[in-house]
Amino acid sequence: TVEARVTTWTDRPTHRAWLQAEAMRLLDFGRGTVPSTEGARWLDDDGVVDPTRPVFTWITGRTAHVYGLGSLLGVPGCAPVAGRAVTALRTSLHDDDHGGWYASVAPDGTPDTTKAAYAHAFVVLAASTGTVAGVDGAPELLEDALGVLTDRFWEPDAGMHADEADGGWTRLDP
């Protein structure tokens, strides 16, 4: 008997080529999101920084992760973007007084001191990818971020992380 071999669409060369092209398009689109070590900036529909929007920790973490992956894939220009994002997570977005990370920093430099587990999880993601990709400072960032999630957000009775805390860690959101 002759068995028919069906190639699923996800294994077809045309689909793989589309995935590659789409990945390169997205990496090119977002390349300007971290113009400095202050963090990943909000981009408009054309990929231009919107200076009126805050720098969000979760966006900076996601950007470090994505461009860390791009670096691991060997895509030129990705490593510096990941590096600037990790630097921002270690400096301008980090709360040096109380530990952890600000939710965001406004265009005028004013931090939103709210501590959100969601944003902190993106710091862990950024730091873990950065560690694998060899981004300077990522291993230290990972150690710090995991410690904050465990020490500040973990609720053993609930078996999960709390959602949010105030800036000084004096009150967790019930």
Side-chain angles (χ1 to χ4, degrees), residues 25-164:
R25 184 188 72 77
L26 291 170
L27 288 169
D28 286 342
F29 175 85
R31 199 170 302 277
T33 192
V34 191
S36 69
T37 57
E38 294 175 358
R41 304 304 306 251
W42 194 276
L43 299 178
D44 68 14
D45 291 343
D46 297 319
V48 176
V49 167
D50 179 348
T52 67
R53 302 291 298 258
V55 172
F56 291 95
T57 294
W58 70 270
I59 292 176
T60 302
R62 181 180 69 186
T63 300
H65 168 68
V66 168
Y67 285 89
L69 291 176
S71 178
L72 287 168
L73 290 170
V75 178
C78 286
V81 177
R84 288 191 301 271
V86 166
T87 297
L89 293 169
R90 295 184 70 211
T91 59
S92 61
L93 292 167
H94 186 263
D95 182 344
D96 292 338
D97 293 330
H98 300 286
W101 288 266
Y102 302 126
S104 64
V105 175
D108 69 0
T110 304
D112 174 350
T113 61
T114 305
K115 304 296 194 301
Y118 184 79
H120 283 70
F122 273 99
V123 176
V124 170
L125 178 65
S128 60
T129 304
T131 297
V132 174
V135 175
D136 286 343
E140 297 83 3
L141 180 64
L142 180 58
E143 184 177 345
D144 188 14
L146 288 171
V148 170
L149 275 178
T150 300
D151 298 341
R152 298 293 192 164
F153 286 104
W154 184 249
E155 292 292 308
D157 293 341
M160 64 180 72
H161 290 101
D163 183 47
E164 191 174 280

